[in-house]
Amino acid sequence: MELDVKLSPLVYESLYSLLVAQEKYQETLSQRLGEIGRETSWLAELAEAYADPVEGVLVSLDSDHAVLASWILSSLRNEGPSTSFNNLLKADLSEKVVLHGIDLNQRTPEFNPFVDAWILGKDFGVGASYLPRELPVNLNDEDILSAYRGLMAHTALLLESESNWSELSANSLLWRVSGLVEGLASLGTSEGLTLKQSYDRLVQTHRDVLPKVRLTGWIDFDEVKRYRNVLTHLGSDGELTFKAAASRVNDMSNRDGHINLVRIITQLVCAEIGGLLQQASLPGSAEWDTLKWSLRHDW
């Protein structure tokens, strides 16, 4: 599964309209847009451009549109988590979808955006809060990027049918999540950290942009590591035996705890990408003078 955020023009109409309406963000947005020679009034022009694309709202715009939006949004990282803005976007978009005669229950992933850690991505539309999630910008580390893609593909498979869930497939989630936590925490450093230390460092690093993180179903990442190792080595850790660990992870009632780990990884990856974008120049392929032609207006 490739990272590819193709979204409907309606998403961008909603997003830019909401940014225009958020007075508390105007100073930060003004500084950001000034980097590309624009003023905040330009956001209203963007909203209007996306509101009436020649080919209609069912067209899927390529990822560079999401890159531009994410580049703008990433400037708001110091404003706190993007949870409230994400909720506003989903609510406003749902209203627009209904007005265009689209069934909310049958809309395709092109109408399922999310804003996490001030990055615009796309919910894949499988289940469990629409995991997995596609992102518009790649991480610089190819190994971590490849691992993230693998985790998203594996998650999609597991959510596709309950019959795909097993002790072995669940343990593979624990291993991939653990690897990504340690990999993300070690970027740019050779310092050796435990799994829990790695997770705690990431949460501390991105504390201003992450929503309140809860390890649903787990005490901490030490417990995640404990189960992972017992299941891998067919051993025991104190009172935790392989049989007991396998029984727990194979129980569908405990699935949400595993899926929540995947959700946390997505938040951490978004936070890392947002940090990169905040310090980066806008990529040439995401400049408006290039993107506007995909809306096929007579500019």
Side-chain angles (χ1 to χ4, degrees), residues 151-163:
L151 176 64
M152 292 299 104
H154 186 56
T155 302
L157 180 65
L158 295 184
L159 292 175
E160 195 174 78
S161 170
E162 289 189 3
S163 63

Side-chain angles (χ1 to χ4, degrees), residues 123-272:
D123 289 323
F124 196 72
V126 174
S129 298
Y130 296 112
L131 283 170
R133 289 179 153 182
E134 300 178 28
L135 308 175
V137 178
N138 290 332
L139 286 163
N140 291 337
D141 189 290
E142 288 294 328
D143 291 330
I144 294 179
L145 174 62
S146 179
Y148 177 79
R149 286 174 170 169
L151 176 64
M152 292 299 104
H154 186 56
T155 302
L157 180 65
L158 295 184
L159 292 175
E160 195 174 78
S161 170
E162 289 189 3
S163 63
N164 293 334
W165 190 268
S166 68
E167 166 261 312
L168 193 59
S169 63
N171 192 34
S172 66
L173 282 184
L174 300 185
W175 270 106
R176 182 50 55 86
V177 165
S178 299
L180 280 165
V181 167
E182 292 175 337
L184 286 168
S186 66
L187 283 174
T189 177
S190 59
E191 184 179 358
L193 299 173
T194 67
L195 178 57
K196 184 178 184 300
Q197 288 172 337
S198 296
Y199 175 71
D200 290 343
R201 169 176 285 186
L202 289 171
V203 171
Q204 178 65 19
T205 298
H206 300 296
R207 63 187 182 279
D208 292 336
V209 74
L210 290 176
K212 187 173 182 179
V213 181
R214 292 184 177 88
L215 284 175
T216 305
W218 303 96
I219 298 173
D220 54 30
F221 265 88
D222 276 345
E223 186 182 26
V224 172
K225 180 179 180 180
R226 187 183 179 208
Y227 271 78
R228 182 198 70 185
N229 290 346
V230 166
L231 290 169
T232 300
H233 302 296
L234 278 70
S236 60
D237 185 346
E239 296 181 357
L240 181 63
T241 64
F242 173 84
K243 183 178 180 180
S247 177
R248 172 183 168 178
V249 301
N250 205 33
D251 186 341
M252 287 298 294
S253 65
N254 294 319
R255 187 180 72 166
D256 286 351
H258 285 69
I259 299 305
N260 188 52
L261 294 176
V262 180
R263 189 174 294 108
I264 288 171
I265 283 297
T266 303
Q267 292 173 340
L268 292 173
V269 171
C270 285
E272 288 285 336

Side-chain angles (χ1 to χ4, degrees), residues 57-72:
V57 299
L58 296 179
V59 65
S60 297
L61 300 173
D62 66 37
S63 293
D64 283 325
H65 290 266
V67 174
L68 171 60
S70 294
W71 184 82
I72 294 172

